[in-house]
C-alpha cells in the first residue's frame, strides 16, 4: 500500500475526471478507463495531468455518444431484434429492458446507459400509444 501523498494521480487530475463524469461528458465506465490510463502513464514515468484526460478520451474514443440519430438507429435495431424482451417489458417485467440496453450499448460504444434506457422506454411508449 502507498500513502495518499505518494499516489501518482493528484487531486486536481482526479477532480477533472469526476467533473467530466458529472457533466455527462464521460460515463462512469469510461471514467474508469481514463483513470486506468492515467495510472499507466504514471507507471511509465509520465506525470498525469488534466491535459492528458482529453487526450486519452480522444485516443480511446471514450466520449459519451450524444448523436441521437445513431442511438435511435441502434434502439430500433434492438427492439426489432428482441420482440420477446419488448413484450416482456410491456407486460411489466422491468428486467427485460436490460437485454435491450445491452444490445444498444454493444452497438454504440460510449452510449450512456441511463439515456439509452430513457430513450427505449419512450420509444416503446410511443409505439404502444400509436398501436
Amino acid at each position: 500500500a502507498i500513502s495518499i501523498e505518494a499516489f501518482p494521480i493528484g487531486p486536481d487530475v482526479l477532480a477533472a475526471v469526476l467533473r467530466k463524469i458529472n457533466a455527462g461528458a464521460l460515463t462512469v465506465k469510461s471514467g474508469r478507463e481514463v483513470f486506468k490510463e492515467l495510472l499507466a502513464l504514471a507507471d511509465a514515468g509520465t506525470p498525469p495531468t488534466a491535459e492528458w484526460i482529453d487526450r486519452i478520451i480522444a485516443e480511446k474514443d471514450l466520449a459519451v455518444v450524444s448523436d441521437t440519430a445513431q442511438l435511435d438507429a441502434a434502439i430500433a435495431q434492438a427492439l426489432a431484434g428482441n420482440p420477446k424482451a419488448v413484450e416482456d417489458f410491456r407486460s411489466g417485467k422491468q428486467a427485460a429492458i436490460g437485454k435491450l440496453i445491452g444490445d444498444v450499448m454493444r452497438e454504440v460504444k460510449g452510449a450512456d446507459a441511463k439515456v439509452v434506457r430513457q430513450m427505449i422506454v419512450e420509444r416503446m411508449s410511443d409505439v404502444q400509444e400509436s398501436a
Side-chain angles (χ1 to χ4, degrees), residues 65-85:
V65 172
S66 57
D67 179 352
T68 55
Q70 186 180 7
L71 290 173
D72 279 337
I75 288 169
Q77 182 179 337
L79 295 178
N82 295 290
K84 175 80 170 111

Side-chain angles (χ1 to χ4, degrees), residues 13-89:
V13 177
L14 181 56
V17 173
L18 294 175
R19 277 194 298 276
K20 290 217 178 267
I21 293 169
N22 285 335
L26 199 60
T27 64
V28 170
K29 182 179 177 186
S30 293
R32 287 186 193 116
E33 182 69 23
V34 169
F35 189 75
K36 198 166 73 176
E37 291 296 319
L38 291 169
L39 284 174
L41 282 170
D43 286 347
T46 303
T49 63
E51 291 75 35
W52 273 100
I53 296 168
D54 288 331
R55 197 176 305 174
I56 292 167
I57 290 169
E59 287 174 4
K60 299 282 184 180
D61 198 22
L62 297 173
V64 169
V65 172
S66 57
D67 179 352
T68 55
Q70 186 180 7
L71 290 173
D72 279 337
I75 288 169
Q77 182 179 337
L79 295 178
N82 295 290
K84 175 80 170 111
V86 171
E87 182 183 322
D88 287 349
F89 181 77

